[in-house]
Amino acid sequence: MPTVRPERQERVTIPAPRTAAGAWPPPPAAPAGEPSRRRRARPAPGRARYRLSPLDRDVLWLYLLTRAAVWITAYCARWLFPPDQDARTPQALLAPFRQWDWHHFLNIARDGYFPGTDGPWQKDWDNREAFLPGFPLVLRAVHTIVPHWTLAGLLISFLAGAVAVVALARIAEYHLPGGNTGRRTVLLLLLSPCAVFLAIGYTEALFLALALPAWLAAQRGKWSLAAALCALATSVRVSGLFLAAAIAVHFLTTVRRRGHWAALPWLALPALPVGLYSWYLESRTGDWMAWKHAQERGWYRTFHTPWEAWTNTWSGAFDHTYKTGYALMFQAELLAMIIGLCLTGLLLWRRRWPEAVYIGCSLWALGTSYWYMSIPRSMLLWWPLWIALAGATLRRPRLGTALLCLGAPLTTVFALTFLTGRWAG
């Protein structure tokens, strides 16, 4: 008896639903009848979002390992590079972490902005009002529990950095779900040349601990939470205003329902910390923009056209008018500016308007001074850069190997020169 074969069914591919720019489509459901290991009982409301996932635990373990590497480097630097070459005893244990801007944060937290009759009217004033009050306020609060100032600053950055890497991994998985994107993004950030700033009492770790969750909340449409976190980030660094602009662009390009427009007033909240700080400075100095003028006096951040800033930085890097340490610093600034411009172009080409606004505003602020300053440090705050590099290295493993091998010497040299206080010396 002939066997009757069923007719072959034609396979139909159903296109994925189109979503708004920057939105995250829901994950595909498992086929009917196919068991899925990821199916678990739904946890109690309010607990699932705060539970650490395996990805979170992986990036935290990576974070701990890199923190240990920085601490070991700082310990060895005390013995190998003492200030006095004939020294028989090393510096204090935490001395490598007390460098450069740390003294400004310490003075603000301990003595305030204008102790006694001191202020910008003095000739030898340290221009401490150039720094926003967010980090010094947190430092002063933690100091009530941890009496040692340097240890209190390290504790702030340690805890804030842990929050930041978890949020960064989640943002990376949000944009490029699947694979190893989150782990690779965090790895590239923590092994970048300027990553030492995340391990010391500086503002980068605390800013990222507030800015990255703010961006993640904006991606999920939680505008009030995003605005509140962005306002806190703005109290730490003025870069929070650039983040606020990016969140506003994301709001305007993704909100479609009329009811969601009720969240629009929240977008003005991040401007409040800067406004309050300017009001405080005006009450003490009579100058609403005292923080900006302090930057101009202490760090030559007077406005210059982008081509003037490029020319002055190029001259400092290659005209042999400064010490070799300063010249190398200017070369790093030029390279960072080129990377930032390429990143902005890539984001515009991919139509990622909010991230392009964030990076573009940062480049404009940093690229219109007398010369470039702190652009390599600011790269730590460019999370689209680390996500883009992670995606590229996952597609091209040799590129990832090259970045790690070539970046390792730069990371080591930068950490040693900073921890020994000989940056540009």
Side-chain angles (χ1 to χ4, degrees):
M1 184 176 180
T3 304
V4 180
R5 296 182 179 179
E7 297 182 0
R8 180 177 299 178
Q9 296 181 355
E10 184 180 357
R11 180 177 296 177
V12 179
T13 302
I14 301 177
R18 298 182 62 183
T19 59
W24 189 27
E34 180 179 342
S36 176
R37 296 182 180 180
R38 295 185 179 180
R39 289 183 178 178
R40 297 178 180 177
R42 179 176 297 180
R47 294 182 58 187
R49 67 185 64 180
Y50 304 111
R51 183 175 300 174
L52 293 177
S53 67
L55 173 62
D56 298 335
R57 290 191 289 268
D58 286 346
V59 298
L60 287 176
W61 174 243
L62 179 61
Y63 177 72
L64 290 176
L65 291 177
T66 54
R67 298 313 88 189
V70 173
W71 298 331
I72 292 173
T73 303
Y75 177 83
C76 295
R78 295 170 52 242
W79 293 86
L80 296 176
F81 306 100
D84 183 5
Q85 295 300 324
D86 296 328
R88 296 295 183 268
T89 57
Q91 291 179 290
L93 182 62
L94 299 180
F97 300 101
R98 297 194 289 262
Q99 306 291 347
W100 307 103
D101 290 350
W102 162 252
H103 298 289
H104 293 287
F105 300 130
L106 174 61
N107 292 336
I108 297 171
R110 184 181 55 196
D111 307 323
Y113 279 100
F114 308 106
T117 59
D118 296 340
W121 43 86
Q122 293 179 318
K123 185 177 181 180
D124 57 347
W125 181 241
D126 60 2
N127 300 304
R128 65 182 67 180
E129 66 271 22
F131 299 90
L132 292 171
F135 182 82
L137 286 174
V138 176
L139 178 60
R140 188 176 183 88
V142 175
H143 178 257
T144 60
I145 303 174
V146 181
H148 196 283
W149 284 104
T150 307
L151 188 60
L154 294 177
L155 180 61
I156 294 171
S157 293
F158 177 76
L159 297 178
V163 175
V165 295
V166 170
L168 178 61
R170 293 184 179 183
I171 292 174
E173 293 291 332
Y174 192 93
H175 288 289
L176 300 173
N180 201 25
T181 309
R183 298 177 184 87
R184 181 62 59 86
T185 303
V186 171
L187 177 66
L188 292 173
L189 172 69
L190 294 178
L191 297 184
S192 61
C194 291
V196 66
F197 290 108
L198 298 175
I200 59 179
Y202 271 40
T203 58
E204 279 77 8
L206 182 59
F207 176 82
L208 287 176
L210 297 167
L212 293 177
W215 182 250
L216 190 60
Q219 294 291 300
R220 295 174 176 173
K222 300 179 180 179
W223 304 110
S224 58
L225 177 60
L229 291 172
C230 185
L232 294 176
T234 305
S235 70
V236 177
R237 293 179 65 96
V238 74
S239 303
L241 294 178
F242 311 150
L243 175 63
I247 292 177
V249 172
H250 183 60
F251 178 86
L252 296 175
T253 56
T254 57
V255 171
R256 296 292 183 267
R257 297 180 182 178
R258 181 177 301 178
H260 292 173
W261 286 93
L264 183 61
W266 283 100
L267 301 182
L269 184 62
L272 181 61
V274 176
L276 292 176
Y277 182 53
S278 297
W279 172 78
Y280 166 76
L281 292 178
E282 194 277 336
S283 66
R284 299 299 302 270
T285 67
D287 183 4
W288 286 92
M289 299 297 292
W291 61 274
K292 181 66 171 61
H293 297 152
Q295 291 184 355
E296 295 174 355
R297 291 191 305 267
W299 292 270
Y300 303 100
R301 292 193 180 276
T302 55
F303 178 80
H304 288 72
T305 60
W307 47 90
E308 288 177 332
W310 174 273
T311 301
N312 294 333
T313 309
W314 183 275
S315 176
F318 299 109
D319 286 356
H320 308 290
T321 55
Y322 295 94
K323 294 181 180 180
T324 55
Y326 284 105
L328 180 62
M329 178 183 69
F330 286 129
Q331 293 173 25
E333 298 285 347
L334 291 171
L335 178 60
M337 173 59 74
I338 293 174
I339 294 174
L341 292 174
C342 293
L343 175 62
T344 305
L346 176 64
L347 293 172
L348 291 173
W349 180 66
R350 293 183 176 179
R351 297 183 180 181
R352 302 204 64 86
W353 314 120
E355 292 93 332
V357 167
Y358 175 72
I359 304 299
C361 291
S362 178
L363 291 178
W364 177 261
L366 296 170
T368 53
S369 301
Y370 177 78
W371 49 33
Y372 298 159
M373 187 178 298
S374 301
I375 301 181
R377 276 180 59 183
S378 297
M379 292 175 64
L380 291 172
L381 314 180
W382 298 351
W383 73 88
L385 172 64
W386 310 114
I387 296 176
L389 288 177
T393 56
L394 288 175
R395 293 189 300 270
R396 301 175 180 84
R398 290 186 178 180
L399 176 61
T401 303
L403 286 177
L404 294 178
C405 291
L406 298 178
L410 295 176
T411 303
T412 304
V413 169
F414 191 94
L416 283 175
T417 52
F418 179 84
L419 293 172
T420 56
R422 298 181 182 181
W423 174 248

